[in-house]
Amino acid sequence: SRVRDGILLQPAGTVYKDEPKATQGISEGPFDAATYAEVSAAPAPALAAKTLTDNGFLTGFGRTWVSAGNAHVFVEAIISFNGAKGAKTWLRQSEAADKADPSYVQALTITGIDTYYGARLVDKVHKIYGDAFVFVKGNDVVLVTYVSNKNDVGTIAATQTRKQYDAQPPSTI
């Protein structure tokens, strides 16, 4: 598998720095199904890991960048499946889970990507705003999430998603 560090693109600008690998609760480096389920804060991590495995999960790799100045966080991950069918099935399951989340506010759209979904999530209690896009290309699912403590997420997640999609190889196996 070619899932590795170089396949995920750093966000534009110089203000984003890699989050240290030892930081609790972040995606930084290779992961298995169980680790992804825990980091993603799935309500039932064991079931989430089983769902990934049942859909043909092979491996994953995540990166997290932070901008301390404006408290922005970019999280990107690539999840490889043993085929496009499993990747697409898992994408739809992930979309349904996000739409069922109490912080789900609305769908987000992007042009030029066939199999994807976008979601705006807002935690009103902790004032955390997030835009997430998840797409399939070949046998891979790629997640791009932008989080801020202000409602200033704008279109930055969509711009990064488009760049990531264009740079993504047709498949990684």
Side-chain angles (χ1 to χ4, degrees):
S1 174
R2 295 186 324 167
V3 174
R4 64 188 190 296
D5 184 30
I7 210 164
L8 296 175
L9 301 176
Q10 180 167 342
T14 58
V15 297
Y16 291 98
K17 305 295 180 208
D18 281 309
E19 187 67 6
K21 292 182 187 325
T23 303
Q24 189 79 1
I26 64 147
S27 177
E28 191 66 31
F31 57 80
D32 60 17
T35 302
Y36 178 78
E38 281 185 33
V39 170
S40 70
L47 180 58
K50 182 180 180 330
T51 300
L52 278 164
T53 303
D54 288 350
N55 284 308
F57 173 90
L58 296 173
T59 189
F61 192 92
R63 295 279 309 268
T64 301
W65 295 272
V66 296
S67 172
N70 55 14
H72 292 169
V73 178
F74 252 115
V75 178
E76 295 180 13
I78 181 169
I79 303 170
S80 287
F81 291 84
N82 61 13
K85 182 179 178 188
K88 289 176 182 177
T89 299
W90 188 82
L91 173 106
R92 295 299 165 218
Q93 292 166 334
S94 177
E95 179 180 22
D98 278 350
K99 286 181 175 179
D101 189 298
S103 66
Y104 178 83
V105 175
Q106 71 185 59
L108 301 173
T109 59
I110 193 168
T111 58
I113 300 176
D114 293 333
T115 307
Y116 83 98
Y117 75 94
R120 165 133 327 133
L121 304 165
V122 177
D123 178 338
K124 293 176 184 169
V125 174
H126 298 100
K127 295 185 178 167
I128 300 172
Y129 303 84
D131 280 359
F133 287 93
V134 184
F135 67 82
V136 170
K137 192 166 184 183
N139 62 299
D140 299 323
V141 172
V142 179
L143 301 88
V144 177
T145 304
Y146 177 63
V147 179
S148 177
N149 63 357
K150 297 181 189 126
N151 190 7
D152 62 353
V153 291
T155 61
I156 195 165
T159 300
Q160 183 73 6
T161 299
R162 186 70 223 180
K163 289 178 185 174
Q164 187 63 57
Y165 181 83
D166 290 344
Q168 192 69 23
S171 66
T172 56
I173 58 171

